[in-house]
Amino acid sequence: MSAEMKFHCPTKILSGPDCVKKNAAEFKKFGTRALVVTGSSSAKLNGSLDDSMAALSLNEQEAVLFEGVPANPGPECVYAGAARAKQEGCDFVLAIGGGSAIDAAKLIAMLAVSNIPEEDLMAGQTGGSCLPLVCVPTTAGTGSESTQYSILTNHESETKTGIASPLLFPRLALLDSKYLESAPRTVLAHTAVDSMSHSIEGLISARASDATDALASKGLRLISECIDGLIRGKLSSVQRDRLMTASTLGGMVIANTGTTALHAMGYSLTYYHGIDHGRANGILLPSWLDAVAKTKPELTYKVLEALRMRGTAELRQTLKEILGPSPVPEGFDPEKYAAKAMASKNIANCAAKPTLSEVIETFKTSFDEGNAAQESGRPAANGNSAPLASILPAETVRLIPYRFRDVPKGPTEVPLEIRLSENFKPGIPLPRAWDGRVFGYVRDNDELKKLFSGKMAEGYAHRRIYLNDMEENFRLTLESGSGEHESIFAVASSDVRTLLRNCRVQGEPQDLIE
Ligand code: NAP
Ligand code: FE
């Protein structure tokens, strides 16, 4: 991270119970006649429309309703809204709803006072002025209330296009988590995962700063405290508050870091398969973090640390529980979607720049069938690796991290690919010399002691790699010959079993045998 820092978020944010009515005076200054932009029906049902109307009438401000913004709005919707605002002489815009209503309202506010042909708008051109915009979010996910982006469905290029301008920052955002009470489980889950992805992408962005890291880490912490509620589909009011706050923090993060390849990948799942935005991101997240870990494991560790998770396997499992099954959609075309993602501006924001094949691999390993293939022993990503049994004498086991040369100083997570020889028996000696390879032992765990005898474990204490039993988890420590490089990370017992099932060896086989 460079010492230079740029951080910008001019939106005034007020939150708390009944904050729309309590702070009505705050938006008195924006105008006399509001275009009130909403989705289909939720704003009526969750009370946000009533509260907003009451606040407007308290201020003696008039309201013109523009309802029915669809999920993932396109240009037709924002041009229609702008025409309505002009026709009705509205001088400010009040957006109530999820990211779709807010994003539409942003461009309605701009197009109401700027003449931008559709082609130019979809190419990213924005106007020089914009009506003031007030936002009342009713989902806790997009953070659109604190960003300068509006994301439109782009029929021409068959994806979603982000349109950005500092003028699109709302002037005021009013957050009241009571509006989430009526949200269906899937809306809560999908939007929370969108918010999670914003903070995660902020942490792994090439544009990350200390400010965005602080906000993103806090956002992820808050979300991690809601995971049980998201899985059960039942959130406490404290958890709803946390998700609302996390969403806005996530917005402030991506307002400054942008989103990365993950969002660009997710857009194809939404465009071609109608998968909700947040859900699309969540399906791809674990495999994407695995891909990031190949070149920058410290970034993936940063994310896992903020989530208080032990590895991407735990994240994958958690997201499965939150999102439910994700079968491969019909007509799924990973190569096409990967090419689109690689051509997007988001790639420039990636601190770990992906290759086309990594993006394809991310798509392929993200859906349920892909996960299953992975768990049952996927082929090694590195062409130099070979199954242990084919190159090592029987009864030998090696634990070799994927790209161990890249193990950095300090804590990190290193994905391991391990295949245990069919002939492996407990108690076999491990090599003593070390030339950059990683060896292993386990202690204090009955199940693993069957594989690694206690005596052997003692003999290899504080050597290259060791797994410490920590009740349900294991602490895996890698240590270099000189002791300069020590990396500690936690793995779940299920991960250990996976490690043992999938061991592969990398490097020169003869170097590995003492
Ligand atoms: P959404 O598309 O705004 O809403 C999804 C559904 O949830 C709609 O059916 C909506 O119903 C309903 N809903 C909203 N609030 C509800 C509540 N409190 N109770 C019950 N139902 C409720 O979903 P979203 O995930 O918030 O927004 C997604 C959009 O935001 C995508 O277009 C995405 O690309 C964009 N996005 C923007 C940014 C940004 O920075 N600008 C960032 C990320 C994503 P109604 O139609 O009846 O309201
Ligand atoms: Fe998003």
Side-chain angles (χ1 to χ4, degrees), residues 38-43 46 69-73 97-101 103 106 138-139 142-144 147 149-151 160 179-180 182-184 187 191 194 198 254 263 267 277-278:
T38 72
S40 312
S41 56
S42 69
N46 61 36
V69 172
N72 308 300
S100 296
D103 279 9
K106 286 178 171 179
T138 66
T139 60
T142 70
S144 181
T147 74
Y149 310 123
S150 172
I151 317 290
K160 298 188 79 180
Y179 303 136
L180 300 179
S182 62
V187 169
T191 50
D194 186 25
H198 296 157
I254 57 167
H263 262 67
Y267 291 153
H277 171 66

Side-chain angles (χ1 to χ4, degrees), residues 206-461:
R207 291 158 59 192
S209 68
D210 285 341
T212 56
D213 273 6
L215 295 169
S217 299
K218 181 67 185 177
L220 290 179
R221 247 324 116 79
L222 290 170
I223 296 167
S224 74
E225 286 159 2
C226 302
I227 282 171
D228 61 317
L230 289 168
I231 291 172
R232 278 185 291 120
K234 228 172 150 38
L235 294 163
S236 67
S237 65
V238 172
Q239 288 178 320
R240 281 192 289 271
D241 276 348
R242 286 181 180 146
L243 289 180
M244 205 48 138
T245 305
S247 170
T248 301
L249 297 185
M252 292 160 80
V253 170
I254 57 167
N256 290 280
T257 62
T259 52
T260 66
L262 181 81
H263 262 67
M265 287 185 254
Y267 291 153
S268 282
L269 299 185
T270 301
Y271 188 85
Y272 293 107
H273 303 289
I275 297 176
D276 280 358
H277 171 66
R279 180 181 186 83
N281 293 349
I283 289 170
L284 297 163
L285 243 179
S287 292
W288 172 234
L289 287 176
D290 282 340
V292 168
K294 285 181 189 166
T295 48
K296 301 231 180 220
E298 67 277 16
L299 293 182
T300 299
Y301 179 81
K302 204 159 94 169
V303 169
L304 294 169
E305 193 186 30
L307 285 168
R308 295 177 171 142
M309 286 188 184
R310 297 173 300 253
T312 52
E314 184 181 352
L315 177 64
R316 193 182 290 279
Q317 182 56 32
T318 303
L319 286 168
K320 256 189 192 175
E321 286 175 40
I322 294 175
L323 300 173
S326 301
V328 176
E330 227 180 291
F332 181 55
D333 190 347
E335 281 79 12
K336 175 173 159 183
Y337 311 156
K340 275 180 177 290
M342 289 300 285
S344 77
K345 287 185 284 190
N346 289 22
I347 298 298
N349 293 334
C350 299
K353 299 265 180 300
T355 61
L356 176 66
S357 59
E358 280 168 351
V359 176
I360 294 172
E361 180 72 7
T362 299
F363 275 114
K364 287 187 174 167
T365 54
S366 287
F367 286 92
D368 291 347
E369 289 84 339
N371 291 337
Q374 220 175 20
E375 277 154 22
S376 67
R378 69 184 156 163
N382 185 315
N384 293 329
S385 69
L388 185 75
S390 73
I391 54 168
L392 287 183
E395 303 185 348
T396 305
V397 64
R398 316 271 173 161
L399 310 183
I400 308 292
Y402 180 74
R403 295 193 64 171
F404 47 79
R405 284 184 307 276
D406 298 341
V407 174
K409 220 169 176 165
T412 188
E413 191 199 54
V414 182
L416 296 189
E417 296 201 355
I418 297 170
R419 173 165 300 170
L420 184 66
S421 162
E422 304 274 67
N423 301 319
F424 177 72
K425 301 235 172 51
I428 51 115
L430 291 176
R432 284 179 181 278
W434 192 61
D435 48 2
R437 312 292 187 262
V438 182
F439 310 125
Y441 83 89
V442 177
R443 67 176 169 213
D444 302 328
N445 178 270
D446 285 337
E447 189 182 345
L448 289 167
K449 268 187 195 160
K450 281 182 212 149
L451 298 177
F452 299 85
S453 77
K455 194 157 169 266
M456 182 186 79
E458 265 167 45
Y460 283 83

